[in-house]
Amino acid sequence: MARGGRSVSRPAKAPAHPAPASPAPAAPMPAAQPAQPGLMAQMASTAAGVAVGSAVGHVVGSAITGVFSGGSSEPAKAAAPAQ
């Protein structure tokens, strides 16, 4: 049972002006390829990576060796003189 009065359905009106067609998207321009570094730049980059890796490896290796050999980074304390 409907509350209030009766409801009337009205047919939807068609829009007076049809929607304008959207323009076709422009074709994307091809991206320029970045210049690749030369042979000397690649060699310098590789050498820098090797140097950093070597330095880190030596620090880690000496730290591990120090842990297993019982060494410490503190200087040894002098023994108390005997009386």
Side-chain angles (χ1 to χ4, degrees):
M1 184 154 126
R3 293 182 62 168
R6 56 187 160 141
S7 62
V8 176
S9 297
R10 295 185 181 174
K13 290 185 177 181
H17 300 284
S22 60
M29 295 183 58
Q33 292 184 352
Q36 294 186 358
L39 180 62
M40 294 303 284
Q42 287 179 347
M43 286 174 35
S45 176
T46 301
V50 169
V52 169
S54 177
V56 170
H58 279 92
V59 169
V60 170
S62 64
I64 291 173
T65 302
V67 168
F68 287 123
S69 66
S72 66
S73 61
E74 296 178 19
K77 294 181 181 178
Q83 293 182 351

